[in-house]
Amino acid sequence: MYREERLGEADEEALGFTTSLEEDEWIFEADLAVDRAHLVMLAENGLVSREGAREIADALARVEEDGFDELQGEDVHEAIEGRIVEFAGREGGRLHTARSRNDEVATCVRIAARRDALRVLKELLDARERLLDVAENHVDTLVPAYTHLQQGQPTTLAHVLSSHERRLARDAERLLDALERLNRSPLGSCASASTTLPIDRERTAELLAFEAPVANSMDAVSSRDFATELMFICSSVIGSLSRLAEEVVVWTTSEFDMMELDDRFATTSSIMPQKKNPDIAELVRGKAGTVHGNLQSGLSIVKNLPLSYNRDLQEMTPHLSESLRVAAESLRVLSRAVETAEYREPDMDLEVGATDLAEALVEKGVPFREAHALVGDLSRRGFGIEDAADALEEHLSRGDVGEALDFHRSVELRVDGGPGSSEELIRTGEEEVESHRDDMRSFQEKVSSAHERLEEALAEL
Ligand code: ARG
């Protein structure tokens, strides 16, 4: 439609290469909202007559009813405008007053990203809650704290799961923070250097639930750091999940035998009848590659662009929508797999208590370096309670040795941050989840009340 007068028909392959229509389904709803807010503002400022505005609003309703699949064109913006002109005639041609696809698409992408980021946030909070629920049932379940994937010190499953939750908690904070930065409206920036027509950018911002307009119009149409920031957060989330997924893969092996997935969250083999495989965890690990790749793509796409808008930016959008979708799905399915699994205490060598034994020697006045050497020597010879008691009798009674190597006792004794504080860590996590939920709800309420205001303003046309 835009080409008709000046350029005529496009080459079919050139059009196929240029179009974003298929990917634009992600911003279809957002584009209708942007059109409506812009229309209300144009009518309120006398740039479209009330009557013309009503005709355009009706045409928009028809576009929505017909659905995305009816659209044709270079992208969703052109396709919708084409239908508006088809339905509303000459008046339809006023909708694009004081607007360009450049500010339009930037606004649509922010709206769709906001919606999907809120979904990631919800899944993050639900996932954290599931991890904490499992942790609550396992404050006494002894497991080794691994370093270098070798048994290091005794700890509890609650302590391990809380550490995964703590990492996701920071991602939730990052997301809440990024949402504030994202929530500014590019609309009214037009192609790049704004317009001479008397529009009201505050008004469209408000109707679309943005905090304010983006201050500089060139920045508004050319920047996608809100997108790379979200893709980083998705990368961080899936990186965290991938580490949890790796635990699932390792814990469910017969060698570790610490975890058994619920049948509903496991897969089997086409040939080996005995197999129960953790494919979900492996897919999360694999999808981390996709999400990390999207971040790299996004950073590369913007890195050398001259100001302001360039079509390169279109390439960014599918990476962003994919990262948000994969992060939300992965959070949900992996946390449900962890929630429904069964856990078992693995066999632990007495040696896992070596650090506790060395610390018992320190309590009796032995310098740590000497204690380390004494216990190190013992572990080369064999680490039974009897051997230990004989070897260390100068400093520790048999009772002392027994106590030091009582793992339940030693985990309780550890200072803040250790397994002994698991209950407190779980409580902190739950409190933070609740407060993040409050923040999320108040953000969502702002979005829905703006949506209502937009509906009312449309009805008043
Ligand atoms: N589909 C385009 C995008 O995603 C919309 C903007 C097109 N603007 C232009 N000047 N060609 O960025």
Side-chain angles (χ1 to χ4, degrees), residues 20 75 77 101-102 105 309 311 314:
S20 59
D75 58 25
H77 319 292
R101 281 185 293 170
N102 301 352
V105 71
Y309 178 84
R311 194 66 178 256
Q314 176 174 292

Side-chain angles (χ1 to χ4, degrees), residues 406-419:
D406 172 350
F407 295 165
H408 279 289
R409 181 177 169 277
S410 83
V411 296
E412 277 307 318
L413 285 177
R414 309 276 171 73
V415 300
D416 286 355

